[in-house]
Amino acid sequence: MGFDSWASSSLLTIIKSMSPTMIKKRIQISLRPKGRACFVDVSAITEDQSDYKRVQIKDIDLGRKLGYTEMLDVISYFHLAQSSMQAQMAQAPVEPKQLPASSESSSEALEAMAKPRRSRRKSKAPAKATTA
């Protein structure tokens, strides 16, 4: 989808109308064909996470395509909201869970996994010799 399509303009107009908290949460995207164009509906999850609420476009942006610089501004706005969310997530370090200690040593456990439980059946048919 190119920048000059109604679908991209519709999606970016909706993102422009979203708050940073809406961008950080789960969204639902629906495509709606209308004539030769395809419009995008975006719904953001509610605070109690039980339902999705459709994002309302501001009245001044209804029915118009965004210009090229406006589109780049919306993409930058979305990118900055996402990167700030990732920075907040990176600040809280997650401690890895320790595996419970096993009674047998790790080398014994590796040997047990490496050995097959059943021996492979060998074919009883003799190998055919081929001559060139």
Side-chain angles (χ1 to χ4, degrees):
M1 137 174 79
F3 263 176
D4 59 342
S5 70
W6 275 103
S8 65
S9 183
S10 177
L11 178 63
L12 292 174
T13 302
I14 292 170
I15 292 173
K16 182 179 176 185
S17 300
M18 293 173 73
S19 67
T21 55
M22 287 175 136
I23 290 175
K24 293 176 186 177
K25 296 188 178 192
R26 241 183 320 177
I27 62 170
Q28 182 179 23
I29 299 174
S30 305
L31 299 176
R32 193 170 33 105
K34 185 146 187 170
R36 298 175 88 188
C38 182
F39 294 93
V40 179
D41 289 332
V42 175
S43 301
I45 197 158
T46 56
E47 292 296 323
D48 60 355
Q49 296 187 353
S50 63
D51 197 20
Y52 286 92
K53 182 181 175 187
R54 186 171 177 214
V55 176
Q56 296 295 320
I57 300 174
K58 297 175 185 169
D59 290 338
I60 58 172
D61 290 331
L62 282 174
R64 73 175 189 92
K65 277 188 175 182
L66 297 176
Y68 184 75
T69 55
E70 286 178 301
M71 288 183 177
L72 293 178
D73 290 342
V74 172
I75 292 169
S76 298
Y77 167 69
F78 180 77
H79 178 68
L80 290 173
Q82 290 293 317
S83 59
S84 70
M85 179 183 69
Q86 290 174 354
Q88 289 174 355
M89 291 175 72
Q91 288 176 356
V94 177
E95 304 249 349
K97 293 182 179 180
Q98 296 293 328
L99 296 175
S102 61
S103 60
E104 59 185 40
S105 68
S106 61
S107 62
E108 292 172 357
L110 288 175
E111 285 178 24
M113 284 191 273
K115 291 180 183 175
R117 292 184 184 157
R118 289 186 351 204
S119 60
R120 295 181 78 183
R121 263 181 42 191
K122 294 184 180 176
S123 176
K124 293 183 181 180
K128 295 182 181 178
T130 57
T131 56

